[in-house]
Amino acid sequence: NVVELSTDGNIEIKRTGGSAYIDFSDNTTNDADCRIQHVSDGFEFSTGGQGSRAPRLTIAASGKVTAAGELAAANFTLENDTGKLVLGAGSDLQLFHDGGSSIIRNINNNASLYIQASSTGTNNIKCNPNGSTQLWHNGAISLYTETNGLRIHDDVKLKFGNASDFEIYHNAGAHNYLSSVTGGSDIVFK
């Protein structure tokens, strides 16, 4: 069964065997540029010419949407507390809300999770699987956790007070400092 909706065959609705589809083409060579096709458990949207047509978007009966390539949306909402935004070929990166907490999870134990807050890709936070967490400032590591504590790099100052008027730091020249930045203030040990 075939239904053509224009005189030059630009829109064609067809059912052959167990398959039903709608073809959209911009010429009369029967070369479908876009196809909407019923597949076993949903619908598949594909683009490209007859020899190069490939699935771009699949919507399964379960509601699962699979996209090939980049997916852009003006607004994206997961309203279910059990829903997850899953990324990566191995579903490695997950973003979800469990009803009480919001979670970013990297399930690949061989890869780190980076947070970069600039368009240049400069690291701000690096989380190593089952290990350290590193904090960066302007592309340089400043502080990180280790098994038995916290490590601060040379010349990074630990500052206290509303005016940052008390500092503890170690410089690359192997000197250790307790410094009162406010003039005339004493450092008191009890």
Side-chain angles (χ1 to χ4, degrees):
N1 300 333
V2 176
V3 176
E4 289 186 15
L5 300 179
S6 65
T7 57
D8 59 0
N10 284 346
I11 300 174
E12 182 178 82
I13 302 171
K14 187 181 269 189
R15 178 163 182 80
T16 58
S19 183
Y21 54 87
I22 303 172
D23 279 343
F24 301 87
S25 60
D26 61 4
N27 57 42
T28 58
T29 62
N30 294 325
D31 190 14
D33 299 309
C34 179
R35 175 176 281 182
I36 301 171
Q37 181 173 356
H38 177 261
V39 290
S40 63
D41 68 340
F43 286 93
E44 179 178 275
F45 299 82
S46 48
T47 60
Q50 194 72 6
S52 64
R53 190 175 53 245
R56 303 297 179 202
L57 183 72
T58 303
I59 303 173
S62 66
K64 180 179 179 181
V65 177
T66 306
E70 185 175 317
L71 179 63
N75 292 302
F76 182 78
T77 304
L78 285 174
E79 295 179 352
N80 186 336
D81 280 339
T82 60
K84 289 183 182 179
L85 175 60
V86 179
L87 304 170
S91 301
D92 300 339
L93 181 61
Q94 301 176 352
L95 176 65
F96 59 99
H97 179 75
D98 66 4
S101 300
S102 298
I103 301 164
I104 300 172
R105 181 178 289 158
N106 174 24
I107 65 167
N108 181 343
N109 286 331
N110 296 313
S112 297
L113 174 67
Y114 292 86
I115 297 177
Q116 300 174 340
S118 71
S119 61
T120 61
T122 302
N123 294 331
N124 293 91
I125 301 173
K126 178 183 177 186
C127 303
N128 295 305
N130 303 312
S132 67
T133 297
Q134 301 170 348
L135 296 179
W136 301 63
H137 178 78
N138 199 24
I141 189 167
S142 296
L143 176 140
Y144 60 94
T145 62
E146 46 183 33
T147 303
N148 295 317
L150 184 69
R151 181 173 290 201
I152 300 173
H153 274 230
D154 289 343
D155 297 314
V156 175
K157 297 176 180 180
L158 186 57
K159 297 181 179 187
F160 297 90
N162 291 340
S164 300
D165 48 359
F166 177 64
E167 300 174 341
I168 300 174
Y169 66 99
H170 173 79
N171 74 3
H175 296 292
N176 301 306
Y177 294 91
L178 295 173
S179 175
S180 177
V181 178
T182 305
S185 295
D186 295 329
I187 298 175
V188 178
F189 293 95
K190 280 189 164 186

